[in-house]
Amino acid sequence: MSSTTQPDREQASFAETALRLGGKSEEEARRTGTLDRADELVEKLFAPQYQTANSPVHKAVWDGKAPLDLFTPPRLPESAPCDAAMQKSLDVVRRHREAGTLFDDQRKISNTVLHDLAEAGYWGMLIDPQYGGQGAPFARFSRFLTRIATFDPTVAGLASVHGCIGAVDPVRTFGTPEQKARLLPKLASGQSLSGFALTEPCAGSDLTALRTTATLDGDHYEVNGEKLFITNAVPGRTIGLVVVLDGKPAVLIADLPPEENEQFHLRRYGLYALKHTHNNGLVFNRFRVPRENLLRPPVGDGLTIAYHGLNLGRLALCATAAGSMRVMLANMLPWVEFRRTYGQPIATRELVKRRIARLAALIAGADALVAWGSKLIDLGYRGELECIVAKIFGSEAQKEAAIELFMKTHGGRSFLHGHLFGDNVHEFLAPCIYEGEGEVLGLAFFKSLVKEHGKAFFEPIGKAVQREGIKDFNPANPRHAWALRKELAAYSRWWAGQRFGGYQKQQVSGMDARLADHLAFAQELLGSFPLEISGVLRKHQLKLADRQCRMAELSQRVQDAIILVVTALWGHEQRDPVAVAAADLLCQDLRRKVTGQRPTDRYFRDAAALADMIIGGGFQSLAGVPHQEILMKYENR
Ligand SMILES: Cc1cc2nc3c(=O)[nH]c(=O)nc-3n(C[C@H](O)[C@H](O)[C@H](O)COP(=O)(O)OP(=O)(O)OC[C@H]3O[C@@H](n4cnc5c(N)ncnc54)[C@H](O)[C@@H]3O)c2cc1C
């Protein structure tokens, strides 16, 4: 992509400026700046009150008070026009699952299932009714995905690939009226099923390394290059194709031809994950896309479009994980009652009860984050920080659930062909990587969270240091302090306000005492972050970019504080003793993680009591969730 020009330099982001001043290579600073500018332009798509600096997470950390109203998702209305299509879609998946006809000969979701889902209105869930879709609010869509995932997570995943990261979100958000009228009806009816082609062999985490190019040739763009790991990409599908056009990323909506040809062919490989759908490399050689299929965002470029869809995809991923974890728990319950060791069902053992309770707690956390994040999207928020929290939590929770809770409880049978764990282990792990690897996303979370503070106080100091020609800045050095007195005074005023101002803690009336205590703890913790984060910026100054582990650690603690708030408030809204106990347990786990304390006996008792309620059939989240037959059953004597 293009090299830095003077105007670019003038608009350089905080991180880009810091990297340059900190002595990083021009190349690294420029690439970071490219991504930051794309990110800032996404912000401009939203009204100021919905931008990251006014998001619930940002406010809760920096404003001295958590906006609790923005952390409490309202109950969804009893019904909505999209419900009928959702019910039909659920029936389709249930019916095919029960009949054993979900997959074709290659064990991929069959064309019949895709077609039946199209008839049910599945592919148009997020598309406006004027284009033939169901117009589902995101909060309803994500809750629906969790239910679909209890029958089949791949079918749920495909709705997200098509509707969030695929062609639907780019066209409905960035398309011209003509493009919407031409493309959305086909995407809504399922005539066009879509995916999103961003990753390349040389560009995954680093999106500035894209090499696939498009050049205008008459009324078409000619595309050359290669994409890797593209889900739902086979001949005949439609893709949002990210290319470099005139030195900048751009998105073309491209119909892949019905057969491979000289201009387009697949690169096939064996992939353990997503085994029930197609995932391929795509090779383009003078591949032609009509000129009118270029999306032109009002601000920014192709990455602006990609970031918008990825946000929704991250919430959808957490919703799907919430469904998959329900399936794990539903499969654990019959097994723990059947399996006896030393004359007793393992359901009576404390270790096993703790696993059941922890799994319920993870489900509660995922449900809470999905409900919260989706509400914010429906309200019009960008939701960047909130969607990252949900993505990391959902994927890590699913990984832990699969390995620490589900596999261990099923023992050797976990590894039998036909066992849910053995058959799906890669499915359970892959979400940690796609739509952004968790730790790299955690760094992005930190960067977004500190951006405003950095711009307000540290960037002026950095620029003044450069202006004054100071080599090793030391505020204790009287000459340095005098030269930067204006910048340092502004920072000192902020620091004193934080140090002596305190965090305004709030209570929620009628809240369960345990949840209220967690909420108070979380607010205390949130109140400690501004000085700690600022201290880290001060300590590492321009070398902060190299302190990834510190940023990742701090990022995770902020995320944990946010999850505490969201889960405690969600638990309060449920008014169901099992959901409250599950929310309480997750909050206890998060508090211990943050403080490093060992679990108390009360914690173990709470976990066992929660597990007993679940074993007794009290967990409403498991209603209607199917489970498999126990493998290698024997006569229990
Ligand atoms: C099952 C599956 C489905 C997918 N579907 C799609 C799809 O539909 N469309 C699409 O476009 N892509 C898709 N992807 C690609 C996916 O989004 C990428 O794999 C992911 O973004 C990571 O990129 P990468 O694999 O190139 O990792 P790399 O860029 O090779 O990075 C490897 C690891 O190195 C570390 N790392 C990288 N950079 C840094 C850094 N700056 N600092 C610290 N650590 C770093 C991180 O731990 C990272 O995970 C899919 C991937 C999988 C596995």
Side-chain angles (χ1 to χ4, degrees):
M1 275 175 266
S2 65
S3 60
T4 330
T5 60
Q6 196 51 37
D8 280 347
R9 282 226 177 193
E10 278 159 20
Q11 296 161 12
S13 70
F14 167 58
E16 182 180 0
T17 310
L19 288 174
R20 264 200 198 98
L21 295 177
K24 288 278 174 200
S25 72
E26 178 56 31
E27 164 88 354
E28 186 169 350
R30 181 177 57 76
R31 284 177 175 231
T32 304
T34 303
L35 288 183
D36 287 352
R37 269 190 296 282
D39 184 73
E40 272 166 25
L41 290 170
V42 181
E43 291 286 341
K44 294 204 171 125
L45 296 169
F46 296 85
Q49 71 267 33
Y50 299 127
Q51 293 177 359
T52 301
N54 287 316
S55 69
V57 171
H58 203 280
K59 280 172 158 307
V61 171
W62 295 107
D63 287 7
K65 179 182 169 192
L68 291 192
D69 52 324
L70 291 178
F71 279 91
T72 316
R75 285 189 173 273
L76 291 182
E78 282 299 311
S79 64
C82 56
D83 288 356
M86 289 184 173
Q87 191 52 52
K88 279 191 204 155
S89 304
L90 280 163
D91 291 343
V92 167
V93 186
R94 188 190 292 117
R95 178 161 47 81
H96 278 288
R97 188 192 143 103
E98 284 169 7
T101 51
L102 270 179
F103 309 128
D104 62 18
D105 296 348
Q106 293 176 56
R107 305 292 297 155
K108 307 288 182 198
I109 301 287
S110 75
N111 283 337
T112 311
V113 172
L114 300 179
H115 175 265
D116 290 354
L117 284 168
E119 299 263 282
Y122 188 65
W123 306 111
M125 284 300 167
L126 293 174
I127 298 177
D128 205 274
Q130 84 175 101
Y131 303 111
Q134 317 304 331
F138 203 79
R140 235 177 168 78
F141 176 71
S142 56
R143 192 181 66 170
F144 163 69
L145 281 192
T146 299
R147 290 187 69 200
I148 288 280
T150 63
F151 293 107
D152 190 84
T154 309
V155 172
L158 283 177
S160 166
V161 167
H162 176 69
C164 300
I165 62 167
V168 170
D169 186 67
V171 175
R172 71 176 189 155
T173 312
F174 300 98
T176 60
E178 184 279 325
Q179 287 171 325
K180 289 182 191 175
R182 182 160 49 85
L183 299 168
L184 287 177
K186 288 194 283 182
L187 293 165
S189 69
Q191 187 189 334
S192 300
L193 290 185
S194 69
F196 196 61
L198 176 61
T199 306
E200 298 182 7
C202 59
S205 305
D206 176 6
L207 293 176
T208 63
L210 294 173
R211 286 187 196 160
T212 300
T213 57
T215 35
L216 191 59
D217 177 30
D219 55 1
H220 279 72
Y221 288 102
E222 249 184 28
V223 177
N224 287 291
E226 180 168 348
K227 295 288 172 181
L228 180 66
F229 291 138
I230 309 309
T231 305
N232 202 22
V234 282
R237 296 276 198 271
T238 297
I239 50 167
L241 176 58
V242 184
V243 292
V244 179
L245 175 65
D246 298 330
K248 289 194 166 154
V251 174
L252 295 167
I253 301 298
D255 290 325
L256 298 177
E259 306 283 343
E260 290 172 70
N261 55 31
E262 273 189 16
Q263 286 78 44
F264 154 74
H265 68 265
L266 299 179
R267 188 177 295 284
R268 296 177 173 82
Y269 37 73
L271 189 72
Y272 288 110
L274 294 186
K275 63 181 177 173
H276 293 308
T277 188
H278 299 276
N279 182 291
N280 288 301
L282 308 174
V283 183
F284 301 107
N285 177 21
R286 306 186 68 190
F287 175 70
R288 291 172 74 76
V289 180
R291 182 179 185 163
E292 63 267 22
N293 282 14
L294 172 70
L295 295 179
R296 293 178 191 276
V299 290
D301 55 33
L303 291 185
T304 318
I305 298 173
Y307 283 175
H308 193 274
L310 277 170
N311 235 11
L312 304 185
R314 287 172 184 152
L315 276 179
L317 183 153
C318 189
T320 305
S324 292
M325 291 192 290
R326 279 169 164 78
V327 178
M328 290 183 217
L329 187 50
N331 276 278
M332 263 160 87
L333 295 181
W335 165 249
V336 297
E337 295 202 85
F338 171 79
R339 184 58 164 171
R340 296 169 85 89
T341 60
Y342 307 100
Q344 292 295 322
I346 58 173
T348 61
R349 309 292 181 186
E350 201 185 28
L351 273 181
V352 172
K353 288 186 187 185
R354 185 189 50 76
R355 292 190 197 132
I356 290 171
R358 171 72 179 162
L359 186 41
L362 294 175
I363 293 170
D367 283 356
L369 290 169
V370 169
W372 169 61
S374 305
K375 167 204 164 172
L376 294 171
I377 295 294
D378 285 337
L379 284 174
Y381 280 87
R382 177 177 177 199
E384 183 207 12
L385 297 171
E386 294 75 12
C387 294
I388 291 181
V389 176
K391 193 286 180 178
I392 297 176
F393 181 86
S395 56
E396 291 296 320
Q398 177 166 288
K399 180 182 76 177
E400 179 190 335
I403 291 174
E404 299 299 331
L405 312 174
F406 190 60
M407 177 194 83
K408 288 185 177 173
T409 303
H410 279 261
R413 283 168 174 76
S414 300
F415 299 92
L416 285 170
H417 286 194
H419 192 277
L420 185 75
F421 174 80
D423 281 359
N424 294 290
V425 57
H426 300 101
E427 311 291 321
F428 295 142
L429 303 185
C432 293
I433 301 297
Y434 56 69
E435 300 189 23
E437 186 269 327
E439 283 197 300
V440 170
L441 267 187
L443 294 182
F445 175 92
F446 186 81
K447 203 161 130 184
S448 284
L449 188 66
V450 306
K451 191 161 74 183
E452 290 302 315
H453 182 68
K455 275 202 314 211
F457 300 108
F458 287 84
E459 195 171 282
I461 292 174
K463 286 189 170 157
V465 166
Q466 206 186 31
R467 181 189 69 216
E468 300 294 328
I470 298 172
K471 271 223 163 92
D472 286 315
F473 174 62
N474 176 6
N477 177 328
R479 192 177 68 79
H480 294 180
W482 177 251
L484 271 72
R485 58 193 177 283
K486 196 169 118 245
E487 291 79 8
L488 290 177
Y491 180 68
S492 304
R493 274 195 300 278
W494 173 85
W495 189 91
Q498 287 295 321
R499 178 72 183 76
F500 303 109
Y503 199 83
Q504 201 180 321
K505 280 201 278 180
Q506 302 155 85
Q507 294 173 343
V508 174
S509 71
M511 198 176 207
D512 173 276
R514 294 165 296 175
L515 297 180
D517 190 49
H518 298 316
L519 185 61
F521 173 88
Q523 291 178 86
E524 191 76 43
L525 187 59
L526 285 165
S528 71
F529 287 134
L531 284 180
E532 186 181 353
I533 293 173
S534 198
V536 166
L537 290 174
R538 245 186 3 253
K539 178 169 179 194
H540 299 293
Q541 296 182 23
L542 299 172
K543 300 288 178 207
L544 183 62
D546 291 329
R547 301 280 80 81
Q548 288 189 324
C549 296
R550 171 58 59 225
M551 287 193 280
E553 189 277 331
L554 193 40
S555 166
Q556 191 56 57
R557 250 185 309 130
V558 176
Q559 292 176 54
D560 289 341
I562 295 296
I563 300 166
L564 267 163
V565 174
V566 174
T567 308
L569 291 169
W570 175 89
H572 172 62
E573 289 295 312
Q574 302 309 301
R575 300 179 202 288
D576 161 37
V578 182
V580 171
D584 167 47
L585 204 80
L586 182 67
C587 291
Q588 290 195 47
D589 288 336
L590 288 165
R591 284 176 72 163
R592 279 204 331 278
K593 188 176 159 203
V594 169
T595 59
Q597 282 170 350
R598 282 180 292 138
T600 59
D601 285 340
R602 187 202 120 186
Y603 170 79
F604 294 133
R605 274 199 307 276
D606 287 350
L610 171 58
D612 285 338
M613 289 194 275
I614 294 168
I615 293 166
F619 197 27
Q620 287 174 16
S621 295
L622 296 187
V625 178
H627 60 82
Q628 297 176 329
E629 285 296 309
I630 292 170
L631 298 179
M632 299 285 176
K633 233 173 162 177
Y634 56 96
E635 196 154 324
N636 249 330
R637 288 190 214 135

